[in-house]
């Protein structure tokens, strides 16, 4: 381009006019010159096209038809499948590693700690579960799970109506019965006991997450499977109770209350506890795992067979109770009886006798005897603290005089050369009963506060809910305090009487008049132990204390729940927990006329009948002091 420009300047092209330009052009052409067009400077895009890299696109240079181009591509990809598979595998591994890195990063772990702290599941700096969360779960969460199991049993384990109910729901959708069974199986007694036992043992201490990790994972897995089906689960229970009403023909209000309660407990589980259990899983794994993800399903071990939708119409409920024939039912009952005999722990003679003494009064008659002014009418029959108090009152009324009366000649003794005044020791123990009364007054005040709050919770739902939870936790703690006070008294009293019994079987140095007949004054002559040998009075008081202590320590009056479950009420008293009180008045005449034959427990309203029953018990236990060894007297076994 430089030579061309120099030629133009030498010729003086810029000074020529158009005619001169045309003449010069013709002269060059006639002399054999050729026309050379000036090229435009190349663009950047053209430079890129001239580079060697585009040679990689040679397969697209041939612009044939579309089919030939697709064929060339297909041939190229099919030539090395192993390389492509290895590339895909490597890509998946890289993706998985990247995902693990993201959910385990510092920011992810910080987010988990913050969420758990805000939800009051754990503290920010520790993975231990807070007492508040554990108490809340042991009360509200456990009660909700029990309610779902109870409702599921009522609908699916009723041999009279369950088959018809299943057919009716199958006509709507087979999924309904399947969800009912899965909701019923959310409750697992031993598993929940393992979760709540640490907080009941140490109410104010955090619970190490590793201690309850497996149990919480198992519960969360069952809830996780049902999580997408919450509304269908509610529909299942509602529809089932509607069908049950048609079959049983009872008033609609009964089933409306049952539906309302079970639906409320479903909300409690999935709206109140599911998210917090999810946070527990995240804290235990220390990874911010998405809730709905394949990663979470693999962690929990969920398979396609675990998810709803496997059942077809007319099939038995997967894993549920099958519809039994008469022969199957008889065989199952026989097997249960055999298992019960094998697993049943034999009771000592003293404990069995003490339980019979405790069973001489039904709950309504205990109320009539020890609550004549009906001050405790607002406390349900199944309340453990109330029952423990009534049984303490029964001991105080009928047996405690053996610890205080001077008609039993108790001599001082010595232990390792130290003089011991056994009478004064028992008097000191009896004086501690004032604590029991005071603690129950506090418990009764808390129940009044709870009742008042439920009647007028206020307009702010959140504040009302927090206050309700706080009062219920106070009730749980105070119920435990009352029962522990009675348990402590019964233990100390039992041990002091056991010392007398061992002496009467051995050296016979402490109780000087063990064979004398104990005759009480006119005011106390109504007591059950009047006109009985001293040794028999001491033995019966000991047996009663032994049974009372064991019921609070390991029996039906033990545990974190403040009320007996329906199964415990049925086992201990032969009534359902929902059964209304037989009387609201201490003067109810029907209690006096109540038939006493055919009952599982001895009814003690009529004094003559009670005395006759006690006499029979005495005859079977008359020589127990002389016949039993020291080992037999010591408490053993668990009656419940």
């Amino acid at each position: 381009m430089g030579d061309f420009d120099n030629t133009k300047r030498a010729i003086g092209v810029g000074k020529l006019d158009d005619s001169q330009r045309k003449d010069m052009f013709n002269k060059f052409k006639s002399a054999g010159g050729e026309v050379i067009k000036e090229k435009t400077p190349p663009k950047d895009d053209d430079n890129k096209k001239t580079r060697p890299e585009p040679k990689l696109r040679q397969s697209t240079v041939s612009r044939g038809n579309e089919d030939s181009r697709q064929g060339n591509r297909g041939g190229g990809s099919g030539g090395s499948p192993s390389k492509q598979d290895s590339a895909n595998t490597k890509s998946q591994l890289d993706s998985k590693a990247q995902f693990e890195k993201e959910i385990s990063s510092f920011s992810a772990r910080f987010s988990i700690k913050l969420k758990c702290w805000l939800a009051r599941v754990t503290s920010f700096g520790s993975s231990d579960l807070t007492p508040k969360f554990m108490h809340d779960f042991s009360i509200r969460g456990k009660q909700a799970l029990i309610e779902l199991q109870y409702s599921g049993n009522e609908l699916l384990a009723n041999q009279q109506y369950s088959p018809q109910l299943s057919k009716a729901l199958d006509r709507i959708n087979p999924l309904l019965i399947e969800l009912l069974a899965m909701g019923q199986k959310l409750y697992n007694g031993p598993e929940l006991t393992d979760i709540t036992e640490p907080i009941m043992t140490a109410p104010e201490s955090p619970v190490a997450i590793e201690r309850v990790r497996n149990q919480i994972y198992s519960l969360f897995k069952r809830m996780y499977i049902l999580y997408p089906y919450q509304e269908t689960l509610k529909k299942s229970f509602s529809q089932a109770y509607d069908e049950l009403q048609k079959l049983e023909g009872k008033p609609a209000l009964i089933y409306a209350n049952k539906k309302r309660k079970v639906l409320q407990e479903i909300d409690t589980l999935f709206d109140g506890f599911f998210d917090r259990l999810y946070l527990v899983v995240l804290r235990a794994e220390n990874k911010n795992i998405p809730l709905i993800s394949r990663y979470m399903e693999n962690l929990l071990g969920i398979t396609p067979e675990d998810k709803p939708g496997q059942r077809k119409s007319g099939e038995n409920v997967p894993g549920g109770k099958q519809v039994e024939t008469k022969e199957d039912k008889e065989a199952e009952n026989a097997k249960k009886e055999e298992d019960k005999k094998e697993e049943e722990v034999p009771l000592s003679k003293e404990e069995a006798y003490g339980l019979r003494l405790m069973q001489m009064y039904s709950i309504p008659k205990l109320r009539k005897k020890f609550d004549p002014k009906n001050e405790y009418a607002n406390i349900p029959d199944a309340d453990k603290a109330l029952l423990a108090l009534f049984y303490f009152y029964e001991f105080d009324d009928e047996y405690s005089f053996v610890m205080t009366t001077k008609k039993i000649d108790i001599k001082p003794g010595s232990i390792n050369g130290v003089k011991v005044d056994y009478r004064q020791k028992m008097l000191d123990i009896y004086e501690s009963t004032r604590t029991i009364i005071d603690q129950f007054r506090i418990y009764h005040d808390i129940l009044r506060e709870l009742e008042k709050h439920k009647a007028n919770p206020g307009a702010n739902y959140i504040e009302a809910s927090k206050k309700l939870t706080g009062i219920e936790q106070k009730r749980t703690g105070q119920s435990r305090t009352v029962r522990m006070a009675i348990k402590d008294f019964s233990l100390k009293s039992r041990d002091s009487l056991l010392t007398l019994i061992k002496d009467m079987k051995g050296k016979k140095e402490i109780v000087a008049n063990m064979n004398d007949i104990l005759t009480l004054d006119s005011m106390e002559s109504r007591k059950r132990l009047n006109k009985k040998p001293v040794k028999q009075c001491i033995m019966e008081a000991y047996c009663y204390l032994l049974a009372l202590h064991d019921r609070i320590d390991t029996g039906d009056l033990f545990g974190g729940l403040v009320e007996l479950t329906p199964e415990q009420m049925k086992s201990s008293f032969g009534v359902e927990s929902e059964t209304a009180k037989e009387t609201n008045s201490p003067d109810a005449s029907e209690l006096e006329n109540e038939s006493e034959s055919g009952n599982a427990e001895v009814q003690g309203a009529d004094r003559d009948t009670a005395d006759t029953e006690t006499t029979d018990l005495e005859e079977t236990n008359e020589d127990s002091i002389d016949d039993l060894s020291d080992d037999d007297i010591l408490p053993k076994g668990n009656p419940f």
Side-chain angles (χ1 to χ4, degrees), residues 290-306:
L291 177 60
I292 307 301
S293 64
R294 182 62 59 85
Y295 193 100
M296 179 63 77
E297 292 186 7
N298 293 337
L299 175 65
L300 299 175
I302 297 174
T303 62
E305 291 74 20
D306 295 329

Side-chain angles (χ1 to χ4, degrees), residues 65 87 160 163 176 198 239 278 333 342 366 408 433 446 456 513 520 548 564 613 624:
N65 58 33
Q160 184 177 1
L176 300 181
Q239 194 68 40
Y278 168 57
N333 290 337
E342 292 177 358
L366 286 171
I408 299 178
T433 57
I446 293 173
N456 186 21
N513 60 340
L520 302 177
L548 176 58
L564 297 177
E613 179 68 19
S624 59

Side-chain angles (χ1 to χ4, degrees), residues 54-292:
K55 292 181 179 179
L56 296 175
R57 301 174 56 193
Q58 288 178 353
S59 59
T60 61
V61 172
S62 175
R63 302 198 177 271
N65 58 33
E66 186 69 21
D67 293 338
S68 66
R69 293 201 299 273
Q70 292 180 353
N72 291 336
R73 293 192 188 104
S77 62
S80 55
S82 59
K83 292 182 179 180
Q84 185 175 6
D85 292 342
S86 61
N88 291 338
T89 303
K90 184 178 180 181
S91 176
Q92 292 175 0
L93 292 175
D94 292 343
S95 177
K96 185 176 180 180
Q98 180 65 24
F99 182 73
E100 286 278 358
K101 185 177 180 181
E102 289 178 3
I103 63 177
S104 305
S105 64
F106 172 79
S107 59
R109 287 183 276 115
F110 180 85
S111 174
I112 294 170
K113 293 180 179 180
L114 186 62
K115 290 177 183 177
C116 291
W117 175 69
L118 291 174
R120 301 296 187 267
V121 173
T122 66
S123 61
F124 186 81
S126 171
S127 62
D128 292 346
L129 303 176
T130 63
K132 174 177 172 49
F133 167 68
M134 293 301 296
H135 277 300
D136 196 19
F137 179 80
S138 65
I139 299 171
R140 295 173 57 237
K142 191 171 184 179
Q143 188 62 44
L145 292 169
I146 291 174
E147 179 62 30
L148 257 68
Q149 187 202 40
Y150 180 81
S151 300
N153 289 340
E154 184 178 28
L155 296 168
L156 298 179
N158 186 331
Q159 293 300 306
Q160 184 177 1
Y161 297 114
S162 291
Q164 303 173 56
L165 189 148
S166 298
K167 291 180 181 178
L169 292 185
D170 277 346
R171 286 194 292 267
I172 301 173
N173 191 340
L175 183 64
L176 300 181
I177 288 291
E178 190 175 6
L179 291 178
L180 280 179
M182 297 179 77
Q184 174 193 13
K185 287 175 171 38
L186 285 177
Y187 176 82
N188 183 316
E191 179 181 276
L192 287 178
T193 300
D194 291 341
I195 295 175
T196 58
E197 190 271 335
I199 198 63
M200 295 305 165
T201 305
E204 302 301 327
S205 302
V207 178
I209 200 169
E210 291 297 329
R211 186 172 179 180
V212 294
R213 170 176 174 166
N214 293 337
Q215 293 83 352
I216 287 182
Y217 274 42
S218 177
L219 172 61
F220 183 70
K221 174 183 177 180
R222 298 194 297 275
M223 293 180 65
Y224 185 90
I225 294 171
L226 281 175
Y227 182 70
Y229 299 90
Q230 296 174 53
E231 295 304 320
T232 311
L233 180 62
K234 293 179 183 179
K235 180 181 178 182
S236 300
F237 278 102
S238 298
Q239 194 68 40
Y241 275 120
D242 289 342
E243 296 295 335
L244 188 61
Q245 178 189 357
K246 296 177 184 177
L247 296 171
E248 291 183 338
K250 295 180 181 179
L253 183 61
I254 297 175
Y255 304 94
N257 289 334
K258 291 181 177 181
K259 283 193 291 185
R260 177 186 57 78
K261 190 169 184 180
V262 72
L263 297 183
Q264 180 180 348
E265 300 300 355
I266 291 174
D267 287 337
T268 298
L269 283 176
F270 288 99
D271 293 342
F273 287 98
F274 182 80
D275 290 340
R276 285 187 278 178
L277 292 178
Y278 168 57
L279 291 176
V280 174
V281 173
L282 296 186
R283 197 70 167 89
E285 295 295 325
N286 212 15
K287 296 177 181 178
N288 195 10
I289 307 168
L291 177 60
I292 307 301

